[in-house]
Amino acid sequence: MGYEIERFISEISDNLICKLCHKVYDNPKSLTSCDHIFCFSCIEKIVINENCCPLDHTLIESSCIEEAPPFILDYLSVMKIKCDFSEHGCRESVPLNRLLLHRLNCEFHPERKIKCTNCEVDVEKYRLSDHNCINLLKNKIDFLSDQINDLKNYYNNELSSLRCRLEN
Ligand SMILES: [Zn+2]
Ligand SMILES: [Zn+2]
Ligand SMILES: [Zn+2]
Ligand SMILES: [Zn+2]
């Protein structure tokens, strides 16, 4: 499935639209048998299930799927697209080849974690307003006291083995 046309700032040439999903190519592949280009996710199922090009019914097999021509890839890679999280408030548009990186670091990512100023635990941004600081702090205390116990055990063992060595 391609990218929604509305997400792009500039006008989209017909050369960049997948004839199966009618969206802008995502990971475009071309068929060596007929030179038609589709999103990989769109053509993948068809090759497996029907064995022929959906536009001209040329016979195809999985070895017929090739990387789309470089001019298509180059063209796509610099097209500016709105961030996936524009509904969450991100106003950024980035070239398609930087979308993945931007999405990972986008401060509007709904699952991005930020530090709560009360309990100082990292929580998902969307849960910040309704999370329970006390519960998180209890968990943290449990975790830390487990660690303290482990350390105590470790040093007790060390200590007794030292004592043993001293006595002998
Ligand atoms: Zn498609
Ligand atoms: Zn074809
Ligand atoms: Zn963003
Ligand atoms: Zn908190």
Side-chain angles (χ1 to χ4, degrees), residues 1-5 8 12-31 35-46 53-55 68 72 76 79 96:
M1 199 64 128
Y3 298 101
E4 302 286 342
I5 295 172
F8 291 86
I12 305 292
S13 137
D14 258 2
N15 289 340
L16 302 177
I17 308 282
C18 170
K19 300 285 183 303
L20 284 175
C21 62
H22 304 287
K23 295 175 185 186
V24 177
Y25 290 134
D26 175 22
N27 192 12
K29 301 288 175 194
S30 83
L31 299 178
D35 284 343
H36 278 126
I37 301 172
F38 306 98
C39 310
F40 180 61
S41 55
C42 290
I43 193 65
E44 193 188 19
K45 291 169 238 141
I46 290 184
C53 171
L55 297 184
I72 298 271
L76 275 174
M79 300 251 304
L96 203 49

